[in-house]
Amino acid sequence: MSNPVSSIASAAAASRRDVNMGRMLVEQGKMTLEEVESVRRLQKAEGLRFGEAAQRLGLVSEADIQQVLARQFDYPYLQAGSGNYPSTLMAAYQPFSAEVEMLRSVRSELMLRWFRPGRKTLAIAGVNSGDGASLLAANLAVVFSQLGEQTLLVDANLRHPRQHKIFNLAAESGLGLADVLAGRAGLDMLAMAESFIDLSLLPAGSLVPNPQELINRSSFVLMNETLCDRFDIILYDTPAFSSAADVLTIAARAGGVLLVVRKDHTRIADLAALSDQFRRSGTEVVGSVMVSF
């Protein structure tokens, strides 16, 4: 026999969600107050959910309903055409796609195998420029933030930074990691990613003539310790190994590295050589992810 108190509570919760959904759709300009009332009348007459009734009346699309539900359950994402991010930031625009489901699987593995109390940092690395490390780092940062983890993405590629372009931040000449390591700026320039309340970014900052020397400074260790006090997950996007040895130092500072392999692009021999370099420097190779584009 069903519990009448539980049934009443469930009905009340559903009613509150319907009210919130109607309000959100009005705030987004998807519906008018008069249309909301029309939906509620149909709801009452036929015992439908708010979203079902609104769709039956042709007032909203399935995508509109999915986005409002995501907001209600603190799972932010963007509809195609909104925001200023490239379409390759799939976690922002296609959260229910097979590709993003794979990203969530990677996230789950990392949460189980790497991110534990006292372990918050991870480097993302590829053998060659164009292997997709920066794009994977950006998408992983989004899915970690969607989990509700306070996430920071650091663009540690001081030679050819990309994250400021992916997330539409200030120009390359803006302040960032290089300026922090050089003692020219503090961490107050951390940028919140628009539309993702739990995601912050530290861009590469000023272009400098001595990136490897900056990465090797003790100020990197101090900065990393400070960031670990503020964030749950810290991902370091690194330069390709073939273009700079900086990645070895950054990964050593992080303690672990996730390797990115591009299908039909990354040579297995080069990947094996990079893995060996990391192990010899005392960095744990947490795993590898194959991307295709």
Side-chain angles (χ1 to χ4, degrees), residues 157-212:
N157 186 346
L158 302 186
R159 300 170 188 269
H160 304 287
R162 286 202 60 206
Q163 297 302 336
H164 68 285
K165 295 179 181 177
I166 295 174
F167 287 95
N168 197 33
L169 300 178
E172 281 184 36
S173 58
L175 297 178
L177 175 63
D179 306 278
V180 173
L181 298 180
R184 298 177 56 239
L187 291 172
D188 53 343
M189 91 290 295
L190 292 178
M192 293 290 292
E194 185 180 349
S195 305
F196 297 98
I197 59 175
D198 293 316
L199 176 59
S200 298
L201 302 139
L202 177 57
S206 302
L207 293 176
V208 293
N210 58 336
Q212 192 166 26

Side-chain angles (χ1 to χ4, degrees), residues 13-32:
S15 178
R16 287 194 296 272
R17 285 196 296 270
D18 287 344
V19 170
N20 289 337
M21 181 174 287
R23 186 177 66 248
M24 288 180 182
L25 288 166
V26 170
E27 289 173 351
Q28 292 175 4
K30 303 288 186 180
M31 294 176 63
T32 66

